[in-house]
Coordinates of all heavy atoms in Angstrom, one line a residue:
M1 N 37.1 80.8 34.7 CA 37.5 79.4 35.0 C 38.1 79.4 36.4 O 39.0 80.1 36.7 CB 38.5 79.0 33.9 CG 39.2 77.7 34.2 SD 40.5 77.3 33.0 CE 39.6 76.3 31.9
Q2 N 37.7 78.4 37.1 CA 38.2 78.2 38.5 C 39.5 77.4 38.4 O 39.6 76.5 37.6 CB 37.2 77.5 39.4 CG 36.1 78.4 39.8 CD 35.2 77.6 40.8 OE1 35.0 76.4 40.7 NE2 34.7 78.4 41.8
K3 N 40.4 77.7 39.3 CA 41.6 76.9 39.4 C 41.6 76.1 40.7 O 41.0 76.6 41.7 CB 42.9 77.8 39.5 CG 43.1 78.5 38.2 CD 44.4 79.3 38.3 CE 44.7 80.0 36.9 NZ 45.9 80.8 37.0
M4 N 42.1 74.9 40.7 CA 42.0 74.0 41.8 C 43.4 73.7 42.3 O 44.3 73.5 41.5 CB 41.4 72.7 41.5 CG 41.2 71.8 42.7 SD 40.5 70.2 42.2 CE 39.0 70.6 41.5
L5 N 43.6 73.8 43.6 CA 44.9 73.5 44.2 C 44.8 72.2 44.9 O 43.9 72.0 45.7 CB 45.3 74.6 45.2 CG 46.6 74.4 46.0 CD1 47.8 74.4 45.1 CD2 46.8 75.5 47.0
I6 N 45.7 71.3 44.5 CA 45.7 70.0 45.2 C 47.0 69.9 46.0 O 48.1 70.1 45.5 CB 45.6 68.9 44.1 CG1 44.3 69.0 43.3 CG2 45.7 67.5 44.8 CD1 44.2 68.0 42.2
V7 N 46.8 69.5 47.2 CA 48.0 69.3 48.1 C 48.0 67.9 48.6 O 47.0 67.3 49.0 CB 47.9 70.3 49.4 CG1 49.0 70.0 50.3 CG2 47.8 71.7 49.0
A8 N 49.1 67.2 48.4 CA 49.3 65.8 48.8 C 50.3 65.7 49.9 O 51.3 66.4 49.9 CB 49.7 65.0 47.6
T9 N 50.1 64.8 50.8 CA 51.0 64.5 51.8 C 51.4 63.0 51.7 O 50.5 62.2 51.5 CB 50.3 64.7 53.2 OG1 49.9 66.0 53.3 CG2 51.3 64.4 54.3
I10 N 52.7 62.7 51.7 CA 53.1 61.4 51.6 C 53.6 60.9 53.0 O 54.4 61.5 53.6 CB 54.3 61.3 50.6 CG1 53.9 61.8 49.3 CG2 54.9 59.9 50.6 CD1 55.1 61.8 48.3
T11 N 53.0 59.8 53.4 CA 53.5 59.2 54.7 C 53.8 57.7 54.3 O 52.9 57.0 53.7 CB 52.4 59.3 55.7 OG1 52.0 60.6 55.9 CG2 52.9 58.7 57.0
I12 N 54.9 57.3 54.7 CA 55.3 55.9 54.4 C 55.3 55.1 55.8 O 55.8 55.6 56.8 CB 56.7 55.8 53.8 CG1 56.8 56.6 52.5 CG2 57.2 54.4 53.6 CD1 58.2 56.8 52.0
F13 N 54.6 54.0 55.8 CA 54.4 53.2 57.0 C 55.1 51.9 56.9 O 55.1 51.3 55.8 CB 53.0 53.0 57.3 CG 52.2 54.2 57.7 CD1 51.5 54.9 56.7 CD2 52.2 54.7 59.0 CE1 50.8 56.1 57.1 CE2 51.6 55.8 59.3 CZ 50.9 56.5 58.4
S14 N 55.8 51.5 57.9 CA 56.5 50.2 58.0 C 56.4 49.7 59.4 O 56.8 50.3 60.3 CB 57.9 50.3 57.5 OG 58.6 49.1 57.7
S15 N 55.9 48.4 59.5 CA 55.8 47.8 60.8 C 55.1 48.7 61.8 O 55.6 48.9 62.9 CB 57.1 47.3 61.4 OG 58.2 47.4 60.7
S16 N 54.0 49.3 61.5 CA 53.2 50.1 62.3 C 53.8 51.5 62.8 O 53.3 52.1 63.7 CB 52.7 49.4 63.5 OG 53.7 49.2 64.5
S17 N 54.9 51.9 62.2 CA 55.5 53.2 62.5 C 55.9 53.9 61.2 O 56.4 53.3 60.3 CB 56.6 53.1 63.5 OG 57.7 52.4 62.8
A18 N 55.7 55.2 61.2 CA 56.1 56.0 60.0 C 57.6 56.1 59.9 O 58.3 56.3 60.9 CB 55.5 57.4 60.1
L19 N 58.1 56.0 58.7 CA 59.6 56.2 58.5 C 59.8 57.7 58.3 O 59.0 58.4 57.7 CB 60.0 55.4 57.2 CG 59.9 53.9 57.3 CD1 60.2 53.3 55.9 CD2 60.8 53.3 58.3
A20 N 61.0 58.1 58.7 CA 61.4 59.5 58.5 C 61.9 59.7 57.1 O 62.7 58.9 56.5 CB 62.5 59.9 59.4
I21 N 61.3 60.7 56.4 CA 61.8 61.0 55.0 C 62.4 62.4 55.1 O 61.8 63.3 55.8 CB 60.7 60.9 53.9 CG1 59.5 61.8 54.2 CG2 60.3 59.4 53.8 CD1 58.5 61.8 53.1
E22 N 63.4 62.6 54.4 CA 64.0 64.0 54.4 C 64.8 64.2 53.1 O 65.2 63.3 52.4 CB 65.0 64.1 55.6 CG 66.1 63.2 55.6 CD 67.0 63.4 56.8 OE1 66.6 62.9 57.9 OE2 68.0 64.1 56.8
W23 N 65.0 65.5 52.7 CA 65.7 65.9 51.6 C 67.2 65.9 52.0 O 67.6 66.5 53.0 CB 65.3 67.2 51.1 CG 63.9 67.2 50.5 CD1 62.8 67.7 51.1 CD2 63.5 66.7 49.2 NE1 61.7 67.6 50.2 CE2 62.2 66.9 49.1 CE3 64.2 66.1 48.2 CZ2 61.5 66.5 47.9 CZ3 63.5 65.7 47.1 CH2 62.2 65.9 46.9
V24 N 68.1 65.3 51.2 CA 69.5 65.3 51.5 C 70.2 65.9 50.2 O 70.0 65.4 49.1 CB 70.0 63.8 51.7 CG1 71.5 63.8 51.9 CG2 69.2 63.2 52.9
K25 N 71.1 66.8 50.5 CA 71.9 67.5 49.4 C 72.8 66.5 48.7 O 73.6 65.7 49.4 CB 72.7 68.6 50.0 CG 73.2 69.5 48.9 CD 73.9 70.8 49.5 CE 72.7 71.7 49.8 NZ 73.1 73.1 50.0
S26 N 72.8 66.4 47.4 CA 73.6 65.5 46.7 C 75.0 66.1 46.3 O 75.1 67.4 46.4 CB 72.9 65.1 45.3 OG 73.8 64.2 44.7
K27 N 76.0 65.4 46.0 CA 77.4 65.8 45.9 C 77.8 66.4 44.5 O 78.7 67.1 44.5 CB 78.3 64.7 46.3 CG 78.1 64.3 47.7 CD 78.6 65.4 48.7 CE 78.3 65.1 50.1 NZ 78.0 66.1 50.9
P28 N 77.5 66.1 43.3 CA 76.4 65.3 42.8 C 76.8 63.8 42.5 O 77.8 63.6 41.7 CB 76.0 66.0 41.5 CG 77.3 66.6 41.0 CD 78.1 66.9 42.2
V29 N 76.1 62.9 43.0 CA 76.2 61.5 42.7 C 74.7 61.0 42.6 O 73.8 61.8 42.9 CB 77.0 60.7 43.7 CG1 78.5 61.1 43.7 CG2 76.4 60.8 45.1
S30 N 74.5 59.8 42.3 CA 73.1 59.3 42.3 C 72.4 59.4 43.6 O 73.1 59.5 44.7 CB 73.1 57.9 41.8 OG 73.6 57.0 42.8
C31 N 71.1 59.5 43.6 CA 70.3 59.5 44.8 C 70.6 58.3 45.6 O 70.6 58.3 46.8 CB 68.9 59.7 44.5 SG 68.4 61.4 44.1
S32 N 70.8 57.2 44.9 CA 71.1 55.9 45.6 C 72.4 56.1 46.5 O 72.4 55.7 47.7 CB 71.3 54.8 44.6 OG 71.6 53.6 45.3
Q33 N 73.4 56.6 45.9 CA 74.7 56.8 46.7 C 74.5 57.9 47.7 O 75.1 57.8 48.8 CB 75.8 57.2 45.7 CG 76.2 56.1 44.8 CD 77.1 56.5 43.7 OE1 77.1 57.7 43.3 NE2 78.0 55.6 43.2
T34 N 73.8 59.0 47.4 CA 73.6 60.1 48.3 C 72.9 59.6 49.6 O 73.3 59.9 50.7 CB 72.7 61.2 47.7 OG1 73.5 61.8 46.6 CG2 72.4 62.3 48.7
C35 N 71.8 58.8 49.4 CA 71.0 58.3 50.6 C 71.8 57.3 51.3 O 71.8 57.3 52.6 CB 69.7 57.8 50.1 SG 68.6 59.0 49.4
L36 N 72.5 56.4 50.6 CA 73.3 55.4 51.3 C 74.4 56.0 52.2 O 74.6 55.5 53.3 CB 74.0 54.5 50.2 CG 74.8 53.3 50.7 CD1 74.0 52.3 51.5 CD2 75.5 52.6 49.6
H37 N 75.0 57.1 51.7 CA 76.0 57.8 52.5 C 75.4 58.3 53.9 O 76.1 58.4 54.8 CB 76.5 59.0 51.7 CG 77.7 59.7 52.4 ND1 77.5 60.8 53.2 CD2 79.0 59.4 52.4 CE1 78.6 61.2 53.7 NE2 79.6 60.4 53.2
E38 N 74.1 58.5 53.9 CA 73.4 58.9 55.2 C 72.8 57.8 55.9 O 71.9 58.0 56.7 CB 72.4 60.0 54.8 CG 72.9 61.2 54.2 CD 73.8 62.0 55.1 OE1 73.5 62.1 56.3 OE2 74.8 62.5 54.6
D39 N 73.1 56.5 55.5 CA 72.5 55.3 56.1 C 71.0 55.3 55.8 O 70.2 54.9 56.7 CB 72.8 55.1 57.5 CG 74.3 54.8 57.8 OD1 74.9 54.2 56.9 OD2 74.8 55.3 58.8
M40 N 70.5 55.8 54.7 CA 69.1 55.8 54.3 C 69.0 55.2 52.9 O 69.9 54.8 52.3 CB 68.6 57.3 54.3 CG 68.8 58.0 55.6 SD 68.3 59.7 55.5 CE 66.6 59.6 55.8
K41 N 67.7 55.1 52.5 CA 67.4 54.6 51.2 C 66.7 55.6 50.4 O 65.9 56.4 50.9 CB 66.5 53.3 51.3 CG 67.1 52.2 51.9 CD 66.2 51.0 52.0 CE 66.9 49.8 52.7 NZ 66.0 48.7 52.7
P42 N 67.0 55.7 49.0 CA 66.3 56.7 48.2 C 64.8 56.3 48.0 O 64.4 55.1 48.0 CB 67.1 56.6 46.9 CG 67.6 55.2 46.8 CD 67.9 54.8 48.2
V43 N 64.0 57.3 47.9 CA 62.6 57.1 47.6 C 62.4 56.9 46.1 O 62.9 57.7 45.3 CB 61.7 58.3 48.1 CG1 60.3 58.1 47.6 CG2 61.8 58.5 49.6
R44 N 61.9 55.7 45.7 CA 61.8 55.4 44.3 C 60.4 55.7 43.8 O 59.4 55.5 44.5 CB 62.0 53.8 44.2 CG 62.1 53.3 42.8 CD 62.5 51.8 42.8 NE 61.4 50.9 43.1 CZ 60.4 50.6 42.3 NH1 60.3 51.2 41.1 NH2 59.6 49.7 42.6
S45 N 60.3 56.3 42.6 CA 59.1 56.7 42.1 C 58.6 55.8 40.9 O 57.5 56.0 40.4 CB 59.1 58.2 41.6 OG 60.0 58.3 40.5
G46 N 59.4 54.9 40.6 CA 59.0 54.0 39.5 C 60.2 53.4 38.8 O 61.4 53.5 39.3
T47 N 60.0 52.7 37.7 CA 61.0 52.0 36.9 C 61.0 52.5 35.5 O 59.9 52.5 34.9 CB 60.9 50.5 37.0 OG1 60.8 50.1 38.4 CG2 62.0 49.8 36.4
Y48 N 62.1 52.8 34.9 CA 62.2 53.2 33.5 C 62.1 52.0 32.7 O 62.3 50.8 33.1 CB 63.6 53.9 33.3 CG 63.8 54.5 32.0 CD1 62.9 55.5 31.5 CD2 64.8 54.2 31.1 CE1 63.0 56.1 30.2 CE2 65.0 54.8 29.9 CZ 64.1 55.7 29.4 OH 64.3 56.3 28.2
Q49 N 61.9 52.1 31.4 CA 61.7 51.0 30.5 C 63.0 50.1 30.4 O 62.9 48.9 30.1 CB 61.4 51.5 29.1 CG 62.4 52.4 28.4 CD 61.9 53.1 27.2 OE1 60.7 53.0 26.9 NE2 62.8 53.7 26.5
S50 N 64.1 50.7 30.7 CA 65.4 49.9 30.8 C 65.5 49.0 32.0 O 66.4 48.2 32.1 CB 66.6 50.8 30.7 OG 66.6 51.6 31.9
G51 N 64.6 49.2 33.0 CA 64.6 48.5 34.2 C 65.3 49.2 35.3 O 65.3 48.8 36.5
N52 N 65.9 50.4 35.0 CA 66.5 51.2 36.0 C 65.5 52.0 36.8 O 64.4 52.3 36.3 CB 67.5 52.2 35.4 CG 68.7 51.5 34.7 OD1 69.0 50.4 35.1 ND2 69.3 52.1 33.7
D53 N 65.8 52.3 38.1 CA 64.9 53.0 39.0 C 64.9 54.5 38.8 O 66.0 55.1 38.6 CB 65.3 52.7 40.5 CG 65.0 51.2 40.8 OD1 64.0 50.7 40.3 OD2 65.7 50.7 41.6
F54 N 63.7 55.1 38.9 CA 63.6 56.5 39.0 C 63.6 56.9 40.5 O 62.9 56.2 41.3 CB 62.3 57.0 38.5 CG 62.2 57.1 37.0 CD1 61.3 56.2 36.3 CD2 62.9 58.0 36.3 CE1 61.2 56.3 35.0 CE2 62.7 58.1 34.9 CZ 61.9 57.3 34.3
Y55 N 64.4 57.8 41.0 CA 64.4 58.3 42.3 C 63.9 59.7 42.4 O 64.1 60.5 41.5 CB 65.8 58.2 43.0 CG 66.3 56.8 43.0 CD1 67.4 56.4 42.3 CD2 65.7 55.8 43.8 CE1 67.9 55.1 42.3 CE2 66.2 54.5 43.8 CZ 67.3 54.1 43.1 OH 67.7 52.8 43.1
V56 N 63.3 60.1 43.5 CA 62.8 61.4 43.7 C 63.8 62.4 44.1 O 64.6 62.2 45.0 CB 61.6 61.4 44.7 CG1 61.1 62.8 44.9 CG2 60.5 60.5 44.3
C57 N 63.9 63.5 43.3 CA 64.9 64.6 43.7 C 64.2 65.9 43.5 O 63.1 66.0 43.0 CB 66.1 64.5 42.8 SG 65.8 64.6 41.0
K58 N 64.9 67.0 43.8 CA 64.4 68.3 43.6 C 65.5 69.3 43.3 O 66.6 69.1 43.7 CB 63.5 68.9 44.7 CG 64.3 69.2 46.0 CD 63.4 69.8 47.1 CE 64.2 70.1 48.3 NZ 63.4 70.8 49.4
S59 N 65.2 70.3 42.5 CA 66.3 71.3 42.1 C 65.6 72.7 42.0 O 64.4 72.8 41.7 CB 67.0 70.9 40.9 OG 68.1 71.8 40.6
N60 N 66.4 73.7 42.2 CA 65.9 75.1 42.1 C 66.4 75.7 40.7 O 67.4 76.3 40.6 CB 66.5 75.9 43.3 CG 65.9 77.3 43.3 OD1 65.1 77.7 42.5 ND2 66.3 78.0 44.4
V61 N 65.6 75.3 39.7 CA 66.0 75.8 38.3 C 65.8 77.3 38.2 O 64.8 77.8 38.5 CB 65.1 75.1 37.3 CG1 65.5 75.5 35.9 CG2 65.2 73.6 37.4
N62 N 66.9 77.9 37.8 CA 66.9 79.4 37.5 C 66.5 80.2 38.8 O 66.0 81.3 38.6 CB 66.1 79.8 36.3 CG 66.6 79.3 35.0 OD1 67.9 79.1 34.9 ND2 65.8 79.1 34.1
G63 N 66.6 79.7 40.0 CA 66.3 80.4 41.2 C 64.8 80.7 41.3 O 64.3 81.6 42.0
E64 N 64.0 79.9 40.6 CA 62.5 80.0 40.6 C 61.8 79.2 41.7 O 60.6 79.2 41.7 CB 62.0 79.6 39.2 CG 62.5 80.4 38.1 CD 61.8 81.8 38.0 OE1 60.6 81.9 38.4 OE2 62.4 82.7 37.5
G65 N 62.6 78.5 42.5 CA 62.0 77.7 43.6 C 62.2 76.2 43.3 O 62.3 75.9 42.1
F66 N 62.2 75.4 44.3 CA 62.4 74.0 44.1 C 61.3 73.3 43.4 O 60.1 73.6 43.7 CB 62.7 73.3 45.5 CG 64.1 73.5 45.9 CD1 64.4 74.5 46.8 CD2 65.1 72.7 45.5 CE1 65.7 74.7 47.3 CE2 66.4 72.9 45.9 CZ 66.7 73.9 46.8
R67 N 61.6 72.4 42.5 CA 60.6 71.6 41.8 C 61.1 70.2 41.8 O 62.2 69.9 41.7 CB 60.5 72.0 40.3 CG 60.1 73.5 40.1 CD 60.3 73.9 38.7 NE 60.1 75.3 38.5 CZ 58.9 75.8 38.1 NH1 57.9 75.1 37.9 NH2 58.8 77.1 38.0
A68 N 60.1 69.3 42.0 CA 60.4 67.9 42.0 C 60.8 67.4 40.7 O 60.3 67.9 39.6 CB 59.2 67.1 42.5
G69 N 61.7 66.4 40.7 CA 62.1 65.8 39.4 C 62.5 64.3 39.7 O 62.1 63.7 40.7
Y70 N 63.3 63.8 38.8 CA 63.8 62.4 38.9 C 65.3 62.3 38.7 O 65.9 63.1 37.9 CB 63.0 61.5 38.0 CG 63.2 61.7 36.5 CD1 64.3 61.1 35.8 CD2 62.4 62.6 35.8 CE1 64.5 61.3 34.5 CE2 62.6 62.8 34.4 CZ 63.7 62.2 33.8 OH 63.9 62.4 32.4
N71 N 65.8 61.3 39.3 CA 67.2 60.9 39.2 C 67.2 59.5 38.7 O 66.6 58.7 39.3 CB 67.9 61.1 40.5 CG 69.3 60.5 40.5 OD1 69.6 59.4 41.0 ND2 70.3 61.2 40.0
L72 N 67.7 59.3 37.5 CA 67.7 58.0 36.9 C 69.1 57.3 37.1 O 70.1 57.8 36.5 CB 67.4 58.1 35.4 CG 67.2 56.8 34.6 CD1 66.1 55.9 35.2 CD2 66.9 57.1 33.2
S73 N 69.1 56.3 37.8 CA 70.4 55.6 38.1 C 70.5 54.4 37.2 O 69.6 53.6 37.1 CB 70.5 55.3 39.6 OG 71.7 54.8 39.9
P74 N 71.6 54.1 36.6 CA 72.9 54.7 36.8 C 73.2 55.9 35.9 O 74.1 56.6 36.2 CB 73.9 53.6 36.5 CG 73.3 52.8 35.5 CD 71.8 52.8 35.8
S75 N 72.5 56.1 34.9 CA 72.8 57.2 34.0 C 71.5 58.0 33.7 O 70.5 57.4 33.3 CB 73.4 56.6 32.7 OG 73.7 57.7 31.8
P76 N 71.5 59.3 33.7 CA 72.5 60.2 34.2 C 72.4 60.3 35.8 O 71.7 61.1 36.3 CB 72.2 61.5 33.6 CG 70.7 61.5 33.4 CD 70.3 60.0 33.3
G77 N 73.1 59.5 36.5 CA 73.0 59.4 37.9 C 73.5 60.6 38.7 O 73.1 60.8 39.9
D78 N 74.2 61.5 38.0 CA 74.7 62.7 38.7 C 73.8 64.0 38.4 O 74.3 65.1 38.6 CB 76.1 63.0 38.3 CG 76.3 63.3 36.8 OD1 75.4 63.0 36.0 OD2 77.4 63.8 36.5
K79 N 72.6 63.8 38.0 CA 71.7 64.9 37.7 C 70.3 64.7 38.2 O 69.9 63.5 38.3 CB 71.7 65.1 36.2 CG 73.0 65.5 35.6 CD 72.9 65.6 34.1 CE 74.2 65.9 33.5 NZ 74.7 64.8 32.6
C80 N 69.6 65.8 38.4 CA 68.2 65.7 38.7 C 67.5 66.3 37.5 O 67.8 67.5 37.1 CB 67.9 66.5 40.0 SG 66.1 66.5 40.4
V81 N 66.6 65.6 36.9 CA 65.9 66.1 35.7 C 64.6 66.7 36.2 O 63.8 66.0 36.8 CB 65.7 65.0 34.7 CG1 65.0 65.5 33.4 CG2 67.0 64.3 34.3
V82 N 64.4 68.0 35.9 CA 63.2 68.7 36.4 C 62.5 69.4 35.2 O 63.2 70.0 34.3 CB 63.7 69.8 37.4 CG1 62.5 70.6 37.9 CG2 64.4 69.2 38.5
G83 N 61.2 69.3 35.2 CA 60.4 70.0 34.2 C 60.3 71.5 34.5 O 59.9 71.8 35.6
Y84 N 60.7 72.3 33.6 CA 60.6 73.8 33.8 C 60.5 74.5 32.5 O 61.2 74.2 31.5 CB 61.9 74.3 34.6 CG 61.9 75.8 34.7 CD1 61.2 76.5 35.6 CD2 62.8 76.5 33.9 CE1 61.2 77.8 35.7 CE2 62.9 77.9 34.0 CZ 62.1 78.6 34.9 OH 62.1 79.9 35.0
D85 N 59.6 75.4 32.3 CA 59.4 76.2 31.1 C 59.2 75.4 29.9 O 59.7 75.7 28.8 CB 60.6 77.1 31.0 CG 60.4 78.3 30.0 OD1 59.2 78.7 29.9 OD2 61.3 78.8 29.4
G86 N 58.4 74.3 30.0 CA 58.1 73.5 28.9 C 59.2 72.5 28.4 O 59.0 71.9 27.4
R87 N 60.3 72.4 29.2 CA 61.4 71.5 28.9 C 61.9 70.8 30.1 O 61.6 71.2 31.2 CB 62.6 72.3 28.3 CG 62.3 73.1 27.0 CD 63.5 73.8 26.5 NE 64.6 73.7 27.5 CZ 65.6 74.5 27.4 NH1 65.8 75.4 26.5 NH2 66.6 74.4 28.3
E88 N 62.7 69.7 29.8 CA 63.3 69.0 30.9 C 64.7 69.7 31.1 O 65.5 69.8 30.1 CB 63.5 67.5 30.6 CG 62.2 66.8 30.8 CD 62.4 65.3 30.8 OE1 63.2 64.8 30.1 OE2 61.6 64.6 31.5
H89 N 65.1 70.0 32.3 CA 66.4 70.5 32.6 C 67.2 69.5 33.5 O 66.7 69.1 34.5 CB 66.3 71.9 33.4 CG 65.7 72.9 32.5 ND1 66.4 73.9 31.9 CD2 64.4 73.2 32.3 CE1 65.6 74.7 31.2 NE2 64.4 74.3 31.5
S90 N 68.4 69.2 33.1 CA 69.3 68.4 33.9 C 70.1 69.2 34.8 O 71.0 70.0 34.3 CB 70.2 67.5 33.0 OG 69.4 66.7 32.2
E91 N 69.9 69.1 36.1 CA 70.6 70.0 37.1 C 71.6 69.2 37.9 O 71.3 68.1 38.3 CB 69.5 70.6 38.0 CG 68.5 71.5 37.3 CD 69.1 72.7 36.7 OE1 69.9 73.4 37.3 OE2 68.7 73.0 35.5
R92 N 72.7 69.8 38.1 CA 73.8 69.1 38.9 C 73.7 69.5 40.4 O 74.4 68.9 41.2 CB 75.2 69.4 38.3 CG 75.4 68.7 37.0 CD 76.8 68.8 36.6 NE 77.1 68.1 35.3 CZ 77.4 66.9 35.3 NH1 77.6 66.2 36.3 NH2 77.7 66.3 34.1
T93 N 73.0 70.6 40.7 CA 72.8 71.0 42.1 C 71.4 70.6 42.5 O 70.4 71.1 42.0 CB 73.0 72.5 42.3 OG1 74.3 72.8 41.8 CG2 72.8 72.9 43.7
Y94 N 71.3 69.6 43.4 CA 70.0 69.0 43.7 C 70.0 68.3 45.1 O 71.0 68.1 45.7 CB 69.5 68.1 42.6 CG 70.3 66.9 42.4 CD1 70.0 65.7 43.0 CD2 71.4 66.9 41.5 CE1 70.8 64.6 42.7 CE2 72.2 65.8 41.2 CZ 71.9 64.6 41.9 OH 72.6 63.5 41.7
E95 N 68.8 68.0 45.5 CA 68.6 67.2 46.7 C 67.8 65.9 46.4 O 67.0 65.9 45.5 CB 67.9 68.0 47.8 CG 68.7 69.2 48.2 CD 67.9 70.1 49.2 OE1 66.9 69.6 49.8 OE2 68.4 71.3 49.4
C96 N 68.1 64.9 47.2 CA 67.4 63.6 47.0 C 66.5 63.4 48.2 O 66.8 63.7 49.3 CB 68.4 62.5 46.9 SG 69.6 62.6 45.5
L97 N 65.3 62.7 47.9 CA 64.4 62.3 48.9 C 64.8 61.0 49.5 O 64.9 60.0 48.7 CB 63.0 62.3 48.4 CG 61.9 62.2 49.5 CD1 61.9 63.3 50.5 CD2 60.5 62.1 48.8
C98 N 65.1 60.9 50.7 CA 65.6 59.7 51.4 C 64.7 59.3 52.5 O 64.1 60.1 53.2 CB 67.1 59.9 51.8 SG 68.3 60.4 50.6
N99 N 64.7 58.0 52.8 CA 64.0 57.5 54.0 C 64.8 56.4 54.7 O 65.8 55.9 54.2 CB 62.6 57.0 53.7 CG 62.6 55.7 52.9 OD1 63.4 54.9 53.0 ND2 61.6 55.6 52.1

């Protein structure tokens, strides 16, 4: 069986110029607050059924390398939820994707 590796690049465009996106270490507070503290906005990945926004975050679960996850604001706004080892892990040490 062959394995396929897919690599995606995200570029956000606004008024004909690309916006800078970067990972910002959280305190831990919500990604919304983390990015606002840096005069940036959190990258939103969707909306939960409650109407709250999902924000993109990453965490290094068990020292196995950073994995993308979500920060759901307002609750649990102080955690990044990451899929690892067949379960969701709520991590308090994480970074938020801001632009």
Side-chain angles (χ1 to χ4, degrees):
M1 173 184 263
Q2 286 186 324
K3 292 184 180 181
M4 184 183 303
L5 175 65
I6 299 174
V7 178
T9 302
I10 299 174
T11 305
I12 301 171
F13 292 95
S14 173
S15 359
S16 74
S17 64
L19 296 174
I21 60 174
E22 63 183 80
W23 291 105
V24 176
K25 191 172 282 196
S26 184
K27 299 291 177 214
V29 294
S30 71
C31 284
S32 179
Q33 292 172 330
T34 296
C35 296
L36 181 63
H37 186 265
E38 300 293 322
D39 293 325
M40 301 176 86
K41 294 182 181 179
V43 174
R44 188 171 80 71
S45 65
T47 305
Y48 187 59
Q49 61 193 9
S50 65
N52 295 335
D53 290 327
F54 282 113
Y55 297 115
V56 178
C57 59
K58 70 177 181 177
S59 186
N60 188 357
V61 181
N62 292 336
E64 298 281 331
F66 280 95
R67 297 168 189 266
Y70 65 88
N71 172 257
L72 183 59
S73 187
S75 177
D78 62 344
K79 298 177 182 116
C80 180
V81 181
V82 178
Y84 173 77
D85 198 24
R87 299 182 351 195
E88 285 190 327
H89 294 263
S90 296
E91 300 294 315
R92 290 190 179 268
T93 303
Y94 62 95
E95 297 178 16
C96 299
L97 190 60
C98 304
N99 69 31

